[in-house]
Amino acid sequence: MDRVGRTDRAPAPAPTERTEPAAPAGRTAPAGRTEPAGRGVPRPGRRGVLVTGAAAAFTVGGVSFASATPSYEGEETRVVRDTLPPGSPDYVYLPVEVPRGVREFHASYTYVRPVLPSGTLGNALDIGVFDERGTDLGGKGFRGWSGGARAEFFIRADDATPGYHPGPIRAGTWHIALGPYTIAPQGLPYEVTITLRYGPTPPTPEPVYPPERAKGRGRAWYRGDCHLHSWFSDGRRTPAEIAALARAAGLDFIHTSEHNTHAGHAHWAPLAGDDLLILTGEEVTTRNGHVLALGTDPGTFIDWRYRARENRFGRFAREIRRANGLVVPAHPHATCIGCTWKFGLGDADAVEVWNGPYTPDDEVSLQAWDSAIARGRWTPAMGNSDAHRHPDPVGTPQTVVLADDLTREAILEGIRKGRSYVAESKAVSLSFSVKGGRGEYAGIGERLRVDDDTPVVVRLEVWGAPNCSVRLVTDQGVLHTAPLPPSGTGAVEWRTTPSYATYVRGEVRRAVVTPGVPGPLAAFTNPVFLGRRD
């Protein structure tokens, strides 16, 4: 998610008339292709096929190309123009009949962006592509997605635009996927230009993925940022730039989380090292919220083409887990269109409570998360930067995980069990525990199993948080507050019993900015539970 709303989109001029290049000698140039070769949402008398199983979608009339002769190495172009009316389906598929002998598939698009009164939604159109294996939900035909971040893309056997998968251009029916994100009242006029280039097919390189283990320090606290975007989706940084910023931010691990594509997984391997573990995954970006497929097996694709009303998310949550990843709803109370999480937390392994620099929607997420804990429905919390471009800081915030080692398996296990806290930067560290009178001990994400009337001591130690105060929060609310020394290093203790507090968690807060509203977080912990009852 871009914190200002949607992803960056290059200005899209109104569609213009285009002509095709002349055919090479010995071939006949196709005629009439500057007229629309396909139409948008079918209306009476118009050709179209409703696709079930991939949100609300239509397949429209397509385009075809002549088969190449073995010696032909030229190119052919087709242009499709149409207008999508308000209320169009989430996805519109443009079939492209691809003949044998194609070396490169290239597509570009433009659409009209009218000037509209304040408060009226304008036009925004996403794009991607599926190959001859089809558009089935969760199928194998996915070849790439750039959303609204790019105006064109190409695919060859040996290379592809970031966000798209290299591989052979096999003959059959491909589909350009158009996603009308928002549509102006007067409709969304668009133009898609498809160019096929013919010639020999180069070999496809075998992908090499990041290792699943870094050197580590044995059982220790490891810092990570699990929500980052590069130029493989709508980010503006290269993977190398992100890795350098991660190291500078004191991170031990990071996670690739591009919107609706896993095409970047094989491009991170050279950037991993003994000091930096790189996990692979995806930010599954639906129309009803975003979810991190965190730490999935490299090369795993998780589909996003469904809404909450279709009751399909459980299937894809299971796919994430089958790929050894975690299901982590992102920025659940973000206010941008389509960003608020509406699938519930029943399938979640963790939840991203803090996303980027602390804002009011993070406070809403924190309070909703805390209320769920009080109801007995704890989902471990995370915090991530969601950094896209300069000056977005990588590692603000960062999740600090207690793990047995710096490996994919150990880090994911620590996140799943809630053995973690969230800090705004590498400067802030803390220790949080509860002890009983007979040596019983529980740390973050654990339970202190003592009788309800047993006195216990809660201790929170903080380093690196000047001008902050600490708060101890239970199911009853904030029951203890104390300022930290000016140095930002200090400790507080508080005594309670399990009958008085069913859980306790720690917060480190900066100074109040708005009277009556808590100051921004500098850090917070997952809870420690008290008592014998789970």
Side-chain angles (χ1 to χ4, degrees), residues 338-388:
C339 296
T340 305
W341 184 249
K342 297 184 178 179
F343 295 88
L345 297 180
D347 289 302
D349 296 303
V351 60
E352 185 186 73
V353 170
W354 183 354
N355 175 276
Y358 203 72
T359 61
D361 60 78
D362 296 309
E363 185 67 31
V364 173
S365 294
L366 180 73
Q367 298 306 325
W369 172 73
D370 182 77
S371 295
I373 301 172
R375 298 192 303 270
R377 300 183 65 86
W378 172 50
T379 305
M382 295 188 68
N384 302 299
S385 73
D386 200 358
H388 282 70

Side-chain angles (χ1 to χ4, degrees), residues 210-212 226 253-257 265 268 277-281 294-296 298 407-409 411-412 415:
E212 297 191 4
C226 291
F253 65 93
I254 59 175
H255 173 256
T256 72
S257 53
H265 288 185
W268 289 88
L277 176 70
I278 299 179
L279 309 176
T280 59
L294 199 165
T296 51
T407 67
R408 171 192 175 197
E409 181 180 5
I411 292 295
L412 295 184
I415 294 171

Side-chain angles (χ1 to χ4, degrees), residues 319-517:
E319 285 194 8
I320 292 170
R321 293 195 188 95
R322 279 196 295 269
N324 300 303
L326 301 182
V327 179
V328 184
H331 45 71
H333 293 275
T335 56
C336 54
I337 296 170
C339 296
T340 305
W341 184 249
K342 297 184 178 179
F343 295 88
L345 297 180
D347 289 302
D349 296 303
V351 60
E352 185 186 73
V353 170
W354 183 354
N355 175 276
Y358 203 72
T359 61
D361 60 78
D362 296 309
E363 185 67 31
V364 173
S365 294
L366 180 73
Q367 298 306 325
W369 172 73
D370 182 77
S371 295
I373 301 172
R375 298 192 303 270
R377 300 183 65 86
W378 172 50
T379 305
M382 295 188 68
N384 302 299
S385 73
D386 200 358
H388 282 70
R389 64 188 66 79
H390 179 78
D392 297 352
V394 171
T396 299
Q398 51 194 249
T399 301
V400 190
V401 183
L402 179 60
D404 289 336
D405 209 343
L406 188 52
T407 67
R408 171 192 175 197
E409 181 180 5
I411 292 295
L412 295 184
E413 182 70 5
I415 294 171
R416 182 187 294 109
K417 291 188 173 180
R419 298 194 302 249
S420 61
Y421 66 89
V422 181
E424 66 179 2
S425 73
K426 65 180 180 180
V428 181
S429 299
L430 58 80
S431 173
F432 185 60
S433 62
V434 184
K435 293 182 179 180
R438 296 184 177 181
E440 304 96 336
Y441 174 91
I444 298 171
E446 297 177 338
R447 176 175 289 275
L448 187 69
R449 297 186 181 278
V450 296
D451 293 337
D452 285 351
D453 59 353
T454 301
V456 300
V457 178
V458 179
R459 181 175 176 84
L460 175 62
E461 297 180 79
V462 181
W463 298 268
N467 304 312
C468 289
S469 60
V470 298
R471 310 195 322 169
L472 299 180
V473 185
T474 77
D475 56 308
Q476 297 189 67
V478 180
L479 294 187
H480 185 75
T481 63
L484 288 170
S487 66
T489 298
V492 296
E493 289 189 350
W494 178 64
R495 287 166 171 77
T496 188
T497 64
S499 63
Y500 190 67
T502 59
Y503 67 88
V504 60
R505 61 181 185 82
E507 293 182 356
V508 182
R509 294 270 185 172
R510 298 216 167 270
V512 171
V513 177
T514 304
V517 178

Side-chain angles (χ1 to χ4, degrees), residues 129-436:
V129 70
F130 292 77
D131 67 19
E132 85 291 346
R133 290 171 289 184
T135 62
D136 289 347
L137 191 65
K140 297 183 178 181
F142 177 75
R143 289 296 291 268
W145 182 260
S146 48
R150 299 181 186 277
E152 61 182 327
F153 66 86
F154 77 90
I155 299 174
R156 292 197 311 264
D158 61 337
D159 199 5
T161 299
Y164 294 80
H165 289 272
I169 310 300
R170 293 179 292 265
T173 304
W174 289 49
H175 289 84
I176 290 178
L178 299 176
Y181 190 72
T182 57
I183 300 180
Q186 58 267 56
L188 193 163
Y190 69 88
E191 174 183 292
V192 178
T193 301
I194 307 108
T195 298
L196 301 186
R197 298 186 172 99
Y198 298 91
T201 298
T204 300
E206 285 294 324
V208 178
Y209 297 118
E212 297 191 4
R213 174 182 295 272
K215 188 174 181 179
R217 304 180 298 277
R219 186 172 176 83
W221 291 92
Y222 295 100
R223 294 176 177 265
D225 188 345
C226 291
H227 192 163
L228 296 161
H229 295 279
S230 76
W231 65 3
F232 281 91
S233 61
D234 63 338
R236 293 293 179 268
R237 290 170 172 147
T238 65
E241 289 171 330
I242 292 172
L245 290 169
R247 288 180 164 98
L251 301 182
D252 301 294
F253 65 93
I254 59 175
H255 173 256
T256 72
S257 53
E258 310 294 0
H259 291 286
N260 296 344
T261 183
H262 57 297
H265 288 185
H267 294 264
W268 289 88
L271 305 171
D274 287 346
D275 63 333
L276 186 65
L277 176 70
I278 299 179
L279 309 176
T280 59
E282 180 185 334
E283 182 174 11
V284 183
T285 306
T286 81
R287 297 298 177 93
N288 288 159
H290 304 183
V291 60
L292 302 177
L294 199 165
T296 51
D297 296 336
T300 298
F301 166 63
I302 304 297
D303 214 322
W304 70 94
R305 295 170 295 159
Y306 42 84
R307 296 198 188 198
R309 67 193 178 203
E310 298 169 58
N311 198 30
R312 289 194 170 103
F313 178 67
R315 166 188 168 185
F316 293 98
R318 291 189 293 273
E319 285 194 8
I320 292 170
R321 293 195 188 95
R322 279 196 295 269
N324 300 303
L326 301 182
V327 179
V328 184
H331 45 71
H333 293 275
T335 56
C336 54
I337 296 170
C339 296
T340 305
W341 184 249
K342 297 184 178 179
F343 295 88
L345 297 180
D347 289 302
D349 296 303
V351 60
E352 185 186 73
V353 170
W354 183 354
N355 175 276
Y358 203 72
T359 61
D361 60 78
D362 296 309
E363 185 67 31
V364 173
S365 294
L366 180 73
Q367 298 306 325
W369 172 73
D370 182 77
S371 295
I373 301 172
R375 298 192 303 270
R377 300 183 65 86
W378 172 50
T379 305
M382 295 188 68
N384 302 299
S385 73
D386 200 358
H388 282 70
R389 64 188 66 79
H390 179 78
D392 297 352
V394 171
T396 299
Q398 51 194 249
T399 301
V400 190
V401 183
L402 179 60
D404 289 336
D405 209 343
L406 188 52
T407 67
R408 171 192 175 197
E409 181 180 5
I411 292 295
L412 295 184
E413 182 70 5
I415 294 171
R416 182 187 294 109
K417 291 188 173 180
R419 298 194 302 249
S420 61
Y421 66 89
V422 181
E424 66 179 2
S425 73
K426 65 180 180 180
V428 181
S429 299
L430 58 80
S431 173
F432 185 60
S433 62
V434 184
K435 293 182 179 180

